[in-house]
């Protein structure tokens, strides 16, 4: 089958022929229809320090996908055959304390499809049946493909009670933008999103009812004044990984404010911890999803009016994957979907 492979220990990806995955008794085989390019894939494409340390070569990459179950293992119920699905890309063990307590997202033995085990940028994917998430008819494959990053946004946004709260989001990448849409859907009062990329701020305003702020041109204090806010934001989402943005979040939160952090700084970043202490801030690290509870919440929100389709800005055949990665690197895109 065709697959996008990290074939060599150097930057790039290669559209190669690889052997069809063979499924075990607890797995399903998914025929992939669409995949999404993630920031993680960009790291692997660029072959930065994190990627070199984490990804064994060769590796079929990719973890955002939708498709159809075409084969089931001996222990898997036959009714899954033909089902349209997406799925959780973290494959967990069942030995750790956390996993045995049902907190699968905290299992230290977790493997990532398309990162440490073969991924979804391929005609077929082998996935444990446990990880499969059936798609309702109301969710097409294109939306199915972005449920993985939407899940990151939902996990971040629902970390704290948002009803009636003022939310500051640092970073208008696709996940930042989707977290804004979720915050709005979940009942926040003001939702302000910051970036220094005009394309992405403009996209944010198209996807969600938010106040976009270019922090290279406008002062957040002025924005707060305009909105009639007196003390600061109640909740912050850190979606940028930019040290300056983290500082800005800390500075513009109220006493006792809360921060959910998903952005990954490319190098150790300094924070003025004195401010964190005296403002009595709560900081929560976010990775992946709280597995199936997050999947449940996002499918429920999509069924009740959450609309993030406009975050998809490019649709390309997989043969054009190279331009997809280049467009994404320039920062002039939302989500990019590859058709298989
Ligand atoms: Zn992803």
């Amino acid at each position: 089958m065709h697959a996008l492979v990290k074939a060599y220990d150097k930057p790039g990806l290669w559209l190669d022929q690889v052997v069809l995955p063979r499924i075990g008794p607890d797995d399903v085989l998914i025929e992939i229809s669409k995949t999404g390019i993630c920031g993680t894939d960009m790291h692997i494409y660029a072959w930065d320090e994190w990627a070199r340390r984490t990804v064994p070569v060769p590796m079929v990459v990719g973890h955002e996908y939708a498709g159809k179950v075409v084969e089931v293992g001996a222990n898997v119920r036959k009714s899954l055959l033909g089902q349209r699905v997406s799925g959780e890309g973290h494959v967990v063990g069942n030995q750790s304390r956390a996993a045995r307590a049902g907190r699968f997202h905290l299992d230290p033995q977790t493997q990532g499809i398309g990162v440490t085990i073969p991924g979804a940028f391929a005609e077929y994917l082998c996935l444990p049946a446990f990880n499969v998430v059936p798609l309702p008819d109301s969710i097409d494959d294109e939306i199915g493909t972005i449920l993985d990053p939407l899940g990151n946004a939902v996990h971040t946004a629902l970390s704290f009670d948002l009803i009636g709260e003022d939310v500051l989001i640092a970073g208008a990448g696709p996940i930042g933008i989707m977290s804004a849409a979720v915050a709005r859907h979940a009942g926040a009062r003001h939702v302000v999103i910051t970036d220094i990329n005009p394309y992405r701020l403009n996209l944010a305003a198209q996807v969600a009812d938010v106040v976009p702020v270019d922090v290279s041109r406008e002062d957040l204090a002025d924005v707060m004044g305009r909105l009639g806010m007196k003390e600061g934001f109640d909740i912050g989402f850190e979606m940028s990984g930019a040290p300056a943005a983290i500082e800005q979040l800390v500075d513009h939160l109220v006493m006792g404010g809360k921060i959910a952090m998903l952005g990954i700084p490319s190098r150790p970043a300094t924070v003025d911890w004195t401010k964190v202490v005296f403002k009595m801030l709560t900081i929560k690290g976010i990775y992946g999803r709280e597995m199936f509870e997050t999947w449940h919440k996002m499918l429920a929100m999509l069924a009740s009016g959450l609309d993030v389709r406009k975050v998809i800005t490019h649709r390309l055949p997989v043969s054009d994957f190279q331009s997809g990665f280049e467009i994404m690197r320039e920062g002039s895109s939302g989500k990019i979907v590859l058709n298989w």
Side-chain angles (χ1 to χ4, degrees):
M1 65 171 183
H2 285 101
L4 277 181
V5 186
K6 187 78 204 178
Y8 310 101
D9 182 9
K10 61 180 185 183
L13 286 175
W14 293 266
L15 188 56
D16 278 352
Q17 285 281 345
V18 301
V19 288
L20 199 75
R22 197 165 337 137
I23 66 169
D26 298 314
D27 301 328
V28 302
L29 189 68
I30 298 170
E31 183 182 16
I32 298 294
S33 70
K34 293 173 191 290
T35 56
I37 303 177
C38 177
T40 303
D41 305 319
M42 297 299 297
H43 289 286
I44 298 172
Y45 183 82
W47 209 225
D48 63 14
E49 195 197 315
W50 170 83
R52 287 197 304 268
R53 215 178 335 117
T54 313
V55 182
V57 174
M59 179 61 66
V60 175
V61 300
H63 60 269
E64 301 180 358
Y65 58 94
K68 191 174 76 178
V69 175
V70 292
E71 194 186 333
V72 297
N75 300 338
V76 180
R77 62 195 158 90
K78 296 276 175 290
S79 61
L80 266 182
L81 270 174
Q83 172 72 51
R84 289 174 52 251
V85 299
S86 184
E88 173 57 47
H90 291 106
V91 176
V92 296
N94 57 13
Q95 297 301 312
S96 69
R97 176 184 171 185
R100 292 179 72 79
R103 297 187 300 272
F104 296 113
H105 66 293
L106 299 179
D107 179 37
Q109 272 115 45
T110 299
Q111 304 268 12
I113 74 160
V115 179
T116 54
I117 53 176
F121 287 176
E123 290 179 84
Y124 295 92
L125 167 71
C126 166
L127 188 74
F130 180 74
N131 285 49
V132 164
V133 176
L135 294 177
D137 291 343
S138 57
I139 294 183
D140 57 34
D141 282 7
E142 184 170 280
I143 294 296
T145 291
I146 63 166
L147 292 178
D148 172 286
L150 176 59
N152 299 139
V154 168
H155 183 187
T156 309
L158 299 190
S159 286
F160 302 111
D161 181 10
L162 293 173
I163 298 174
E165 304 288 38
D166 295 333
V167 179
L168 177 59
I169 303 170
I175 298 178
I177 293 174
M178 289 193 281
S179 74
V182 173
R184 171 60 67 223
H185 189 81
R189 182 172 62 171
H190 299 305
V191 182
V192 173
I193 191 164
T194 65
D195 208 295
I196 50 172
N197 176 332
Y199 177 95
R200 291 194 149 168
L201 288 167
N202 183 37
L203 182 63
Q206 286 174 37
V207 174
D209 173 20
V210 290
V211 180
V213 176
D214 184 338
V215 281
S216 69
R217 295 160 175 269
E218 204 175 357
D219 197 321
L220 266 177
D222 297 339
V223 176
M224 287 168 57
R226 216 168 68 213
L227 295 172
M229 290 175 53
K230 294 191 175 66
E231 293 181 32
F233 291 88
D234 305 292
I235 315 271
F237 304 160
E238 207 311 288
M239 312 300 253
S240 72
I246 300 170
E247 198 80 55
Q248 219 160 41
L249 268 186
V250 169
D251 283 341
H252 291 88
L253 284 199
V254 292
M255 294 281 291
K258 303 177 182 82
I259 303 177
M261 292 195 73
L262 179 108
I264 302 165
S266 56
R267 60 201 142 72
T270 45
V271 175
D272 187 346
W273 292 104
T274 308
K275 290 178 187 166
V276 174
V277 171
F278 282 113
K279 283 182 120 174
M280 292 177 275
L281 302 182
T282 300
I283 301 179
K284 181 184 176 191
I286 307 287
Y287 173 67
R289 291 147 297 280
E290 286 184 353
M291 301 250 156
F292 304 103
E293 180 62 6
T294 307
W295 284 90
H296 175 86
K297 293 268 193 194
M298 77 177 138
L299 292 175
M301 284 190 284
L302 288 167
S304 61
L306 176 67
D307 183 1
V308 292
R309 190 179 303 273
K310 285 187 188 149
V311 85
I312 302 171
T313 54
H314 295 73
R315 295 149 177 95
L316 301 168
V318 69
S319 52
D320 279 353
F321 76 93
Q322 210 88 294
S323 30
F325 279 83
E326 288 307 320
I327 293 165
M328 197 135 150
R329 177 154 48 196
E330 287 160 15
S332 45
S333 71
K335 287 304 292 184
I336 298 178
V337 170
L338 299 174
N339 291 312
W340 284 80

